[in-house]
Amino acid sequence: MTVFTVISVSTFNRNDRNLFGYRTYVVKTDSMSKTDFNAGDLIFVKEVNPKDLKPGDIITYISQNSESFGETITHKIRKLTTDAEGNPGFITYGTTTDTDDEVVVTYPYILGKYQNNIPKLGTFFNFLKTTQGYFTCIFIPFMLLIIYQGINFVRLFRRYKKEQMEEMQEERNKLEAERAENAKMLAELQALKAQFEEQKNVSSDQTASTNSNTENKI
């Protein structure tokens, strides 16, 4: 949303900005709603050579009419003509009223030829640029995203600590098992040692007894 807002502020309705030869404008009136687009639609306009334009084309131009002087207008060409000074231009009109514009649109004021539109997207971007739109579509969702990510972080941290404690407990259990096994082996070794000592003592006693009997016989 933030990116779209920046794009809309820096690009839309800017005669000095274009992208790959295209400009974007938000339609302000319904002067063309009868046939092509409505107020609030986002339109795409491509730079063209005015000499290539013909009747029936829809063009965007800087208005020289008294009521809309300096505004960006998008109307249809009715026919080719010249102004009072003999400069080539076009008679344009809005299809809703079918009334010719006041002043002939000469080449220097033409911004481009209409290509396509996205319905109501312009209204949405205009709303984004308002305070209400900023809070509704950017600030509040951004804060909710932060809260959501914070909750996820806490959950992940708790799960990590739980898994860490489980691993530590598993290591403890493993060490206890190894200690028990070692103690068992030590006990078995001590038992074997005791048995060996006992057998050694019995063997020594038997040898001593045999030697005593031999001496008595002698």
Side-chain angles (χ1 to χ4, degrees), residues 59-71:
I59 60 172
T60 299
Y61 60 92
I62 300 174
S63 175
Q64 301 300 301
N65 299 327
S66 57
E67 294 183 357
S68 58
F69 185 84
E71 295 182 8

Side-chain angles (χ1 to χ4, degrees), residues 10-215:
S10 61
T11 306
F12 296 168
N13 299 324
R14 296 286 298 271
N15 295 333
D16 59 336
R17 301 287 177 86
N18 70 79
L19 183 63
F20 304 114
Y22 285 86
R23 294 187 174 96
T24 53
Y25 298 94
V26 178
V27 180
K28 297 179 180 179
T29 70
D30 284 323
S31 63
M32 296 288 290
S33 61
K34 184 177 181 180
T35 56
D36 296 281
F37 44 79
N38 303 301
D41 292 354
L42 182 69
I43 63 172
F44 298 90
V45 176
K46 185 178 182 181
E47 293 182 353
V48 295
N49 186 338
K51 295 180 180 180
D52 296 331
L53 296 171
K54 58 185 183 300
D57 290 340
I58 299 173
I59 60 172
T60 299
Y61 60 92
I62 300 174
S63 175
Q64 301 300 301
N65 299 327
S66 57
E67 294 183 357
S68 58
F69 185 84
E71 295 182 8
T72 301
I73 305 295
T74 303
H75 277 174
K76 182 172 287 190
I77 296 175
R78 190 183 296 278
K79 64 180 180 178
L80 282 67
T81 187
T82 57
D83 63 5
E85 298 177 357
N87 298 313
F90 306 98
I91 293 177
T92 56
Y93 68 103
T95 58
T96 300
T97 61
D98 198 32
T99 301
D100 291 346
D101 294 325
E102 177 184 349
V103 179
V104 173
V105 181
T106 54
Y107 290 178
Y109 299 102
I110 296 173
L111 298 171
K113 180 181 177 182
Y114 165 79
Q115 300 294 310
N116 210 331
N117 74 89
I118 302 178
K120 301 305 177 184
L121 186 60
T123 300
F124 172 71
F125 279 112
N126 282 339
F127 176 69
L128 279 182
K129 291 187 283 187
T130 65
T131 301
Q132 183 181 0
Y134 170 77
F135 276 94
T136 303
C137 298
I138 297 177
F139 181 77
I140 293 177
F142 184 68
M143 292 304 299
L144 291 175
L145 180 62
I146 290 177
I147 294 172
Y148 175 75
Q149 292 297 337
I151 293 173
N152 277 345
F153 174 79
V154 172
R155 287 176 178 173
L156 288 173
F157 181 75
R158 288 179 176 176
R159 187 170 69 182
Y160 168 75
K161 293 298 291 184
K162 181 180 178 182
E163 291 175 352
Q164 192 177 43
M165 292 299 294
E166 289 176 350
E167 289 178 359
M168 291 176 63
Q169 186 61 44
E170 186 177 349
E171 288 293 329
R172 290 194 190 101
N173 294 339
K174 186 177 179 180
L175 288 173
E176 290 295 332
E178 289 178 354
R179 287 173 185 169
E181 184 67 23
N182 291 336
K184 182 180 178 182
M185 292 176 64
L186 182 60
E188 291 177 351
L189 288 173
Q190 288 176 344
L192 288 173
K193 182 179 179 181
Q195 185 179 0
F196 176 76
E197 291 292 337
E198 183 179 354
Q199 290 178 353
K200 182 179 179 182
N201 291 334
V202 171
S203 178
S204 296
D205 291 342
Q206 289 177 350
T207 302
S209 175
T210 302
N211 291 336
S212 177
N213 292 332
T214 303
E215 290 176 356

